[in-house]
Amino acid sequence: MSSVEELSGKKRAILIAAEKCFAAQSYEGVSIRDIAHEAGVPIALIGYYFGAKNELYYAIYEHHSGYIAERLNGLRHARLHSPPAVALEAIIAAFVLPVLKLNEKADGANFSRMVMRGVIDQHEASERITREFYDPMAREFIAALHDALPHAPADSIYWSYQFALGALLHHVVDIRIERLSDGLCPARQADLAAPHLLRFITDGIRAVTRVN
């Protein structure tokens, strides 16, 4: 193994360990020592590669930024190429499917839990992430919903985005459905969950935005 590959492997091990730690407990509750122990590396190596804890936290989101780009690319394709009758379905698919695909992977599931913890805890590091990574994407999806549902009341579009996000986040972090369904509904199998979640969100948005 070359030295470059070895270093790359250590950096990846730190990222995976940090992701696992941040998924398991709050940002404030995780120490650099915890992450170093999980990764099996000296504490000083984390500082050497990533700097302070908040920068390591940020680096995890950078590492997963490809799925955000995939969602935005799918959204832009939907807006340009989808007939009006199915535009909403295409927009919601772009919003949901990359997340479900990521969540099928072990590190993706940890990342999903880490994202949810950031939403709940609202700490300074997560606020930076939200503003830089997620707010711009959210605004593009909201604009797409406005275009797809031009007669909908403006406030109903914002509520629709809020509740669609809630349904998606809850699904990717809660595996209790496997127990409740006695194994009939695997929680992290995207091809089984996707049709139901897409229909639930799409039909819900149509109901909420309908002008009486």
Side-chain angles (χ1 to χ4, degrees):
M1 177 182 290
S2 73
S3 59
V4 172
E5 289 173 334
E6 184 178 359
L7 291 176
S8 177
K10 288 179 180 177
K11 288 183 74 172
R12 178 165 174 76
I14 292 168
L15 284 174
I16 291 172
E19 195 172 81
K20 184 176 180 180
C21 290
F22 287 129
Q25 55 184 310
S26 69
Y27 174 83
E28 290 80 4
V30 175
S31 69
I32 293 296
R33 184 178 298 277
D34 295 331
I35 296 168
H37 177 76
E38 181 67 32
V41 300
I43 292 176
L45 196 61
I46 296 178
Y48 176 76
Y49 282 139
F50 298 103
K53 183 171 76 169
N54 64 314
E55 294 301 328
L56 173 56
Y57 187 86
Y58 186 90
I60 295 170
Y61 284 86
E62 283 190 313
H63 175 68
H64 285 293
S65 61
Y67 95 106
I68 295 177
E70 184 180 352
R71 295 169 86 185
L72 287 173
N73 288 337
L75 171 64
R76 290 160 188 163
H77 185 274
R79 297 182 78 177
L80 287 172
H81 302 291
S82 298
V86 296
L88 181 60
E89 284 82 355
I91 290 165
I92 299 307
F95 182 68
V96 167
L97 294 181
V99 179
L100 298 188
K101 185 171 69 174
L102 176 65
N103 198 58
E104 285 187 313
K105 305 172 185 176
D107 61 333
N110 281 332
F111 181 66
S112 295
R113 288 193 291 272
M114 180 177 160
V115 171
M116 179 62 96
R117 282 193 177 277
V119 171
I120 294 169
D121 294 344
Q122 295 288 304
H123 49 78
E124 185 176 345
S126 70
E127 179 65 17
R128 177 191 177 193
I129 297 298
T130 300
R131 289 184 179 278
E132 292 190 23
F133 287 92
Y134 291 109
D135 281 1
M137 179 176 64
R139 293 186 186 281
E140 288 209 37
F141 273 102
I142 289 167
L145 292 176
H146 277 295
D147 289 347
L149 301 163
H151 303 296
D155 64 333
S156 70
I157 296 292
Y158 292 103
W159 286 121
S160 293
Y161 179 82
Q162 174 80 351
F163 298 146
L165 179 62
L168 176 59
L169 283 178
H170 183 271
H171 170 67
V172 296
V173 301
D174 186 0
I175 63 171
R176 191 166 56 116
I177 189 173
E178 293 186 357
R179 184 170 73 250
L180 296 176
S181 68
D182 295 322
L184 180 64
C185 303
R188 290 175 50 208
Q189 194 166 334
D191 61 333
L192 296 182
H196 302 287
L197 184 56
L198 291 172
R199 182 176 297 176
F200 180 86
I201 292 175
T202 303
D203 289 353
I205 289 175
R206 284 209 167 93
V208 167
T209 58
R210 187 177 297 123
V211 178
N212 296 324

